[in-house]
Amino acid sequence: MANKACARDHRSWGRYPKIRQQKVVPVYWRDDQIDLSAIDGTILPYGLGRSYGDSCQNEGGTLIDIAPLNRMIAFDEDAGLLRCEAGVSLADILKVIVPRGWFLPTTPGTKFVTIGGAIANDVHGKNHHVAGTFGRHVTQFELLRSNGERLICSPEQNAEMYRATIGGLGLTGLILWAEFKLRRVPGPFIASEQIRFRNVDEFFDISAESEHRFEYTVAWVDCLAAGKQLGRGLFMRGNHAWPNKVPGKKAGQRSLFTVPVDLPWFALNMVTARVFNTALYHSQLGKSKRKVVPYDSFFYPLDMIHEWNRLYGSPGFIQYQFVIPFDHDRSAIKSIFKQISDSGVLSLLSVLKVFGDVPSPGMLSFPRPGVTLALDFPVRGQHTLDLLDRLDRVVQDEGGAIYPAKDSRMSAQGFQSFYPQWQDFSQYVDPKFSSSFWRRVTRTTE
Ligand SMILES: Cc1cc2nc3c(=O)[nH]c(=O)nc-3n(C[C@H](O)[C@H](O)[C@H](O)COP(=O)(O)OP(=O)(O)OC[C@H]3O[C@@H](n4cnc5c(N)ncnc54)[C@H](O)[C@@H]3O)c2cc1C
């Protein structure tokens, strides 16, 4: 319900930049003759609009709304293989599989995303260091091209199109349905531990120590902290828990509330952000806190506030996520934190995680070994954009990359250096498919 209500305006989650599509065409039946060639201009599939920037937008063109393609097709309970239409959301899947003792192979920080969107962005979760990306668990899918061709793609069949479509940003055709592997779980609970760390070095120590013992790891960072506290935060780690450890607990999560209106932009400022970050950092009394919690509150804390993106007001916000390879003295990530905290630019909700070396099957997938940081920046004009340009240069010098699913502003030159494989990928792009993002980042850069 809630996910549908949020998505129907067909904007992106960050609501920046403001883009108008010419038309939205819903798809209801996967077996219908869907004539994509009859649509004027360019087309792009649209799931639940949980991409932050313009990779799910198609200015002046058509969006194919796949949310009505929301039926389960088959479940092989012995093999843990689920087949469903591309518009089925992770929330709908969890409702069906968790009571049967199964779980998603990996999940992003919101369950209001479709399977089509999860494949097209090859999403990652807190278990990237052991499970890799979502695409790694996809056994096959059906792709409709604008010439009417329907391709079954798997690691064996149409294998190149399979690799191009995973992480392919919706540009290779319309995914109608997909099949993927689930993982067994003992129940709906997570045995979690939250540890306070004083700076970036302590984060890396806890992360290295957690990697082999915990399936899920991630950290919140107070990116306004400076000096000896640069990069301080809270480290969260967890494993699926056995039911006998959680007597009398209920696993369901209720949504607390929906943000009813856009917050005035001035309500969020450096003072309120500092107060919020300091309060969060000191929210736990001891160094570490252990709890057995329902999976929902561990994986999807933000989903408890529907339409929380409205808290940033009508100018919207930019999410900035990058990955950089490890360096021995951690100087690059420290220099990024320092630039942010010195800049005076407002940033909230920073998430830090170490990616593992499990390879992504996708040609254009974002995750790679190293450390990844995601930050929310309310849009406050050129000052914000200038800082992000400076951070781009550090990411580029370090041989890292920016995540297209979160992007709304990286330059064509930046994209082409982060993803040198983009030209190979281009040969798989369907001639009728395009996006605002794709047109922006594939401009000639000479
Ligand atoms: C709170 C929050 C937390 C998040 N956490 C994470 C995270 O931890 N890790 C992570 O990786 N991402 C994360 N994301 C990003 C989100 O998971 C991805 O952007 C996801 O792909 C969005 O899916 P969607 O269904 O909303 O698709 P949309 O945003 O609508 O579209 C995403 C892309 O998929 C394409 N697409 C959609 N359906 C199809 C189809 N049927 N066929 C072909 N292409 C299709 C679109 O063209 C577009 O390029 C987060 C987002 C939010 C809002």
Side-chain angles (χ1 to χ4, degrees):
M1 261 303 281
N3 51 355
K4 287 180 184 146
C6 298
R8 291 314 89 198
D9 59 13
H10 299 97
R11 285 187 276 188
S12 70
W13 190 247
R15 310 205 292 173
Y16 173 86
K18 311 259 180 263
I19 283 175
R20 293 204 79 76
Q21 340 288 332
Q22 181 83 348
K23 217 163 54 168
V24 177
V25 176
V27 177
Y28 293 98
W29 303 104
R30 67 179 183 276
D31 293 329
D32 271 1
Q33 284 290 26
I34 306 165
D35 187 2
L36 298 177
S37 70
I39 298 172
D40 279 343
T42 60
I43 53 185
L44 182 75
Y46 181 94
L48 285 170
R50 272 4 186 233
S51 299
Y52 283 77
D54 54 357
S55 66
C56 63
Q57 302 282 278
N58 188 15
E59 182 144 37
T62 297
L63 289 181
I64 308 286
D65 186 342
I66 59 140
L69 273 188
N70 59 4
R71 298 162 202 95
M72 305 283 179
I73 302 173
F75 184 33
D76 176 343
E77 192 136 15
D78 294 327
L81 271 182
L82 180 69
R83 189 183 295 195
C84 65
E85 290 180 340
V88 173
S89 71
L90 300 186
D92 290 338
I93 292 172
L94 287 163
K95 263 187 244 155
V96 176
I97 63 171
V98 173
R100 293 176 159 84
W102 294 94
F103 202 73
L104 296 164
T106 183
T107 172
T110 170
K111 60 184 174 177
F112 299 130
V113 310
T114 61
I115 287 302
I119 295 174
N121 279 333
D122 197 14
V123 299
H124 59 270
K126 297 178 176 61
N127 60 350
H128 183 273
H129 58 289
V130 286
T133 59
F134 190 84
R136 216 180 138 249
H137 307 273
V138 173
T139 45
Q140 55 173 329
F141 53 81
E142 183 176 7
L143 189 71
L144 175 67
R145 303 270 291 177
S146 64
N147 62 4
E149 209 177 3
R150 284 171 179 252
L151 303 175
I152 301 293
C153 302
S154 73
E156 296 79 35
Q157 205 175 344
N158 295 307
E160 286 302 287
M161 196 56 97
Y162 170 87
R163 288 196 337 102
T165 302
I166 292 176
L169 302 167
L171 296 164
T172 61
L174 183 68
I175 303 166
L176 295 170
W177 57 262
E179 182 187 80
F180 51 96
K181 280 186 254 163
L182 303 175
R183 75 165 317 290
R184 271 257 178 234
V185 286
F189 296 100
I190 300 289
S192 74
E193 189 176 356
Q194 186 167 291
I195 307 166
R196 193 160 57 197
F197 54 91
R198 281 170 302 185
N199 51 40
V200 188
D201 285 321
E202 221 176 279
F203 162 82
F204 279 106
D205 295 345
I206 299 171
S207 181
E209 183 259 313
S210 307
E211 231 166 59
H212 302 292
R213 292 195 295 125
F214 290 88
E215 182 168 356
Y216 302 105
T217 64
V218 76
W220 165 80
V221 176
D222 173 2
C223 56
L224 300 177
K228 285 194 176 131
Q229 298 193 313
L230 191 75
R232 70 175 182 180
L234 300 170
F235 194 95
M236 275 132 316
R237 56 193 194 182
N239 286 316
H240 292 279
W242 292 94
N244 59 7
K245 293 199 178 151
V246 283
K249 280 236 177 197
K250 283 215 174 105
Q253 180 201 39
R254 270 178 306 160
S255 153
L256 289 183
F257 65 93
T258 299
V259 177
V261 288
D262 291 346
L263 208 67
W265 64 269
F266 51 82
L268 277 178
N269 54 44
M270 266 314 190
V271 177
T272 51
R274 272 192 211 289
V275 169
F276 172 78
N277 279 10
T278 306
L280 193 56
Y281 180 70
H282 291 291
S283 62
Q284 82 183 43
L285 294 175
K287 169 94 178 153
S288 92
K289 189 169 77 181
R290 286 182 192 197
K291 262 202 306 199
V292 176
V293 292
Y295 74 86
D296 246 342
S297 55
F298 183 79
F299 290 108
Y300 312 116
L302 287 171
D303 285 349
M304 291 176 77
I305 308 170
H306 289 308
E307 297 192 68
W308 59 262
N309 53 344
R310 301 181 76 170
L311 293 170
Y312 290 94
S314 80
F317 68 107
I318 294 171
Q319 170 141 135
Y320 185 77
Q321 183 169 1
F322 64 82
V323 55
I324 49 173
F326 291 109
D327 60 353
H328 187 60
D329 61 1
R330 301 148 183 182
S331 55
I333 190 78
K334 285 181 189 168
S335 123
I336 288 177
F337 276 126
K338 184 152 175 14
Q339 289 199 43
I340 296 167
S341 96
D342 288 352
S343 70
V345 171
L346 183 57
S347 51
L348 293 151
L349 278 183
S350 333
V351 177
L352 187 62
K353 154 123 194 106
V354 168
F355 280 154
D357 55 8
V358 183
S360 299
M363 261 177 219
L364 218 57
S365 291
F366 159 72
R368 59 204 72 187
V371 56
T372 182
L373 177 67
L375 303 129
D376 285 349
F377 290 97
V379 176
R380 298 284 193 271
Q382 199 53 44
H383 197 41
T384 314
L385 299 172
D386 289 345
L387 169 68
L388 299 183
D389 285 347
R390 293 199 297 277
L391 298 185
D392 279 2
R393 286 196 285 278
V394 182
V395 174
Q396 197 171 330
D397 291 347
E398 292 298 314
I402 309 285
Y403 192 6
K406 312 274 177 91
D407 181 62
S408 49
R409 36 114 346 245
M410 76 169 115
S411 67
Q413 184 277 333
F415 173 77
Q416 292 170 26
S417 76
F418 301 139
Y419 297 90
Q421 68 276 33
W422 74 276
Q423 272 170 316
D424 276 352
F425 167 79
S426 303
Q427 63 186 296
Y428 300 97
V429 172
D430 187 292
K432 263 197 88 64
F433 281 54
S434 186
S435 66
S436 296
F437 171 85
W438 189 242
R439 290 187 289 275
R440 176 165 58 83
V441 300
T442 54
R443 279 187 209 130
T444 317
T445 58
E446 275 91 37

